[in-house]
Amino acid sequence: MTDHHLGHDDGRDLELGHDLELGRDLDLLRAANPVSATAGPWRDRPLDAVAERGLNQLLHTTRVRRVRRARRRVVLWAEAAAVALAAVLALTVPDLGAATATAAPSALHPRAGSAAMPLERIADRAEALARDGGPRLRKGAHVQSWSLAMDSGPDAERPVTLPEEREVRWRPDGSRTERVESDGKLLSDRLYPPSRSDAPPWARPPGTPAALRAYLTEVDQPGFPRRTGPVSIRQLLDTLPQLLDNWTLGARESAALARVLADTGGLRAEGTVTDRLGRTGQAYVYDTPDEHLRYMVILDPDSGEVLGLEVLFTEDQPDFAVRAGDVMSYDAWRR
């Protein structure tokens, strides 16, 4: 493989992995190698379709792993992970030194006395709206995010939040631009060449619940062999940033996603909430059984569109100077 192929990575997607993930990455890397073991050490040639797919899966498994590793750090932190975390932040946040760190934002809370709408009703509403037309699927995304940067150890300081606004636009030739700002300051404005990848989340998301569930299953477990078991609600929530950081869903896709979430079960309706962009939505919560994290996904009550996803700590974590109620990450997607 040459540097040309590796240049498709945007600097944000390279992360340190757990041993199991590393093994999967090595398998993907081997699959992406178009040169056989007997072809000689210095020979090279363009990637074929299978190799291109494997390499893109390796490079673009992004924030699902970031959230999962953050959960593992809460439970199984070691001194070496402090060094790894610094490396991850340096790679995953463009121009980290130029970003402005802020105090952690307050957790969102449903309005007192507000009615909690069953998720199935939102799915019904979204499907009715999609039958009448509604917005169409668009490649590209606009997201504002807040991610907690944590230290560890007895001298750990209170964590700070790194805000980021990212806008991805695709061109007819398959190239894309990514503009990243933090607190109104431009961090990067980059143009990336076309990619031939047909793997989720780069592939066009389908507009039916069954097909979308299969699509998100592949996002959750990329590579070979293909996963056959159903994804859990936590795994579905983990895949949302990958999907919504690349696509602005249309009415059909939003309705399909709302139905997948409703049919999977595990989300608790909490009532009306105002998100960090001032929009009104319905909040649905999932508490992890062992990791002391709470997911809150916010949906538009009429269209089923995902407005935001918040992950917060439900118990103090002294090793990180984290307190119960601290927001680990928040993503707000915009049209």
Side-chain angles (χ1 to χ4, degrees), residues 66-78:
R66 186 186 311 170
V67 172
R68 287 173 178 167
R69 278 192 294 280
R71 290 200 305 262
R72 282 197 294 268
R73 285 195 296 268
V74 172
V75 182
L76 301 172
W77 188 265

Side-chain angles (χ1 to χ4, degrees), residues 134-269:
R136 294 185 177 181
L137 177 72
R138 176 167 56 84
K139 196 171 188 179
H142 189 179
V143 56
Q144 289 182 239
S145 62
W146 293 261
S147 300
L148 203 63
M150 297 176 288
D151 197 1
S152 71
D155 299 325
E157 298 181 357
R158 283 283 290 157
V160 295
T161 297
L162 301 174
E164 179 182 284
E165 183 171 359
R166 177 179 295 264
E167 188 168 9
V168 179
R169 294 185 178 181
W170 289 80
R171 299 181 174 186
D173 66 355
S175 62
R176 74 185 190 276
T177 60
E178 292 192 6
R179 181 181 177 90
V180 181
E181 296 182 359
S182 180
D183 285 341
K185 297 178 181 179
L186 180 64
L187 299 184
S188 65
D189 193 354
R190 300 169 182 169
L191 172 64
Y192 294 93
S195 171
R196 294 177 292 170
S197 174
D198 62 350
W202 300 107
R204 182 184 180 90
T208 62
L212 185 59
R213 179 182 292 277
Y215 179 101
L216 294 174
T217 299
E218 187 169 352
V219 173
D220 178 69
Q221 292 289 332
F224 310 98
R226 185 183 299 271
R227 177 186 173 131
T228 58
V231 288
S232 67
I233 189 61
R234 188 187 73 190
Q235 291 166 329
L236 286 176
L237 295 175
D238 280 341
T239 65
L240 289 184
Q242 287 201 86
L243 172 64
L244 300 177
D245 283 359
N246 289 287
W247 296 90
T248 301
L249 300 187
R252 292 179 66 246
E253 295 77 23
S254 289
L257 180 55
R259 181 61 66 188
V260 168
L261 293 174
D263 289 348
T264 303
L267 286 170
R268 182 175 70 252

Side-chain angles (χ1 to χ4, degrees), residues 6 10 57 83 86 88 109-110 129 133 156 171 189 192 242-243 264 282 290 300 303 305 309-310 323 325 330-331:
L6 293 178
D10 64 1
Q57 287 176 324
V83 178
V88 169
H109 296 283
L129 182 65
R171 299 181 174 186
D189 193 354
Y192 294 93
Q242 287 201 86
L243 172 64
T264 303
Q282 282 284 316
D290 304 316
D300 183 289
S303 68
E305 178 184 355
L309 178 66
E310 176 182 86
R323 299 169 187 162
Y330 185 88
D331 295 291

Side-chain angles (χ1 to χ4, degrees), residues 116-125 233 257-263 265 267-269 284 297 299:
M117 185 180 299
L119 188 49
E120 291 78 5
R121 187 183 303 173
I122 286 190
D124 291 341
R125 286 184 172 187
I233 189 61
L257 180 55
R259 181 61 66 188
V260 168
L261 293 174
D263 289 348
L267 286 170
R268 182 175 70 252
Y284 299 90
V297 60
L299 303 183

Side-chain angles (χ1 to χ4, degrees), residues 287-298:
D287 292 300
T288 62
D290 304 316
E291 296 155 340
H292 313 304
L293 294 176
R294 173 170 296 173
Y295 289 75
M296 178 188 288
V297 60
I298 303 168

Side-chain angles (χ1 to χ4, degrees), residues 314-325:
T314 57
E315 291 189 10
D316 293 350
Q317 304 294 332
D319 286 345
F320 301 96
V322 165
R323 299 169 187 162

